[in-house]
C-alpha cells in the first residue's frame, strides 16, 4: 500500500507560479511511476503530467507543455510539480497518483494508477 500526501496548493494570480509536492509513504518510491492529474468543477479528472522511474522519462499534456515541470527526488520519496505562467483555466484540484512501473510507457488514463492522494486546490485568479 502506498499513501500519497499532496501539498503546495493555493491562490495565485494569472501569470504566477506554484510548486506542488507529493510525498509517498513507501520506501520503494523509486520503483513507482508518478503522475499529476487535475479536476475542475463539473469536469472529468484529466492527465497533467507523469514521470517514470528514470527522471528523463516524462510526459505532459499539451495544455501545460512548456509551463509545467515534473520532477522527483527518490531520496525524499517526493514528486514535484512546478507550475509557471498559470492561467485561470488551470484552476482545479490537483491529484498525485502512483503505479508500480512494470513498463516504461507513461499512461494518461486514471485507471492505470492504483494509488491516489487526497488532492490540493489550485486557484488562479484573473
Amino acid at each position: 500500500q502506498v499513501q500519497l500526501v499532496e501539498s503546495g496548493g493555493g491562490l495565485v494570480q494569472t501569470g504566477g507560479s506554484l510548486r506542488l509536492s507529493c510525498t509517498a509513504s513507501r520506501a520503494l518510491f523509486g520503483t513507482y511511476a508518478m503522475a499529476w492529474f487535475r479536476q475542475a468543477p463539473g469536469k472529468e479528472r484529466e492527465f497533467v503530467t507523469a514521470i517514470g522511474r528514470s527522471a528523463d522519462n516524462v510526459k505532459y499534456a499539451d495544455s501545460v507543455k512548456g509551463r509545467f515541470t515534473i520532477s522527483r527526488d527518490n531520496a525524499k520519496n517526493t514528486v514535484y510539480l512546478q507550475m509557471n505562467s498559470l492561467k485561470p483555466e488551470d484552476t482545479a484540484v490537483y491529484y498525485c497518483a502512483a503505479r508500480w512501473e512494470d513498463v516504461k510507457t507513461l499512461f494518461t488514463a486514471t485507471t492505470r494508477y492504483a494509488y491516489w492522494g487526497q488532492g490540493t486546490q489550485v486557484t488562479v485568479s484573473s
Side-chain angles (χ1 to χ4, degrees):
Q1 188 73 13
V2 178
Q3 292 183 323
L4 304 174
V5 179
E6 301 103 331
S7 61
L11 174 65
V12 65
Q13 292 185 332
T14 296
S17 298
L18 280 175
R19 188 175 82 154
L20 305 183
S21 300
C22 171
T23 300
S25 61
R26 193 178 176 96
L28 297 178
F29 173 77
T31 63
Y32 286 77
M34 304 297 297
W36 289 94
F37 288 76
R38 66 186 181 187
Q39 188 166 19
K43 294 188 176 181
E44 291 188 354
R45 193 169 298 188
E46 65 173 5
F47 172 80
V48 176
T49 180
I51 187 167
R53 294 170 59 176
S54 173
D56 60 356
N57 185 17
V58 296
K59 187 181 188 76
Y60 294 95
D62 288 343
S63 59
V64 306
K65 208 171 287 185
R67 300 188 298 122
F68 290 11
T69 303
I70 190 171
S71 61
R72 66 189 299 158
D73 184 340
N74 290 341
K76 295 183 178 179
N77 287 2
T78 300
V79 62
Y80 302 99
L81 179 61
Q82 178 66 44
M83 304 185 294
N84 298 328
S85 303
L86 283 161
K87 306 175 182 180
E89 50 264 44
D90 294 318
T91 295
V93 177
Y94 283 70
Y95 296 90
C96 176
R99 65 181 301 273
W100 184 72
E101 185 178 291
D102 51 353
V103 294
K104 290 190 181 299
T105 302
L106 295 175
F107 297 102
T108 62
T110 58
T111 53
R112 289 288 190 168
Y113 293 85
Y115 306 103
W116 292 83
Q118 82 289 350
T120 185
Q121 177 70 47
V122 171
T123 303
V124 185
S125 63
S126 56

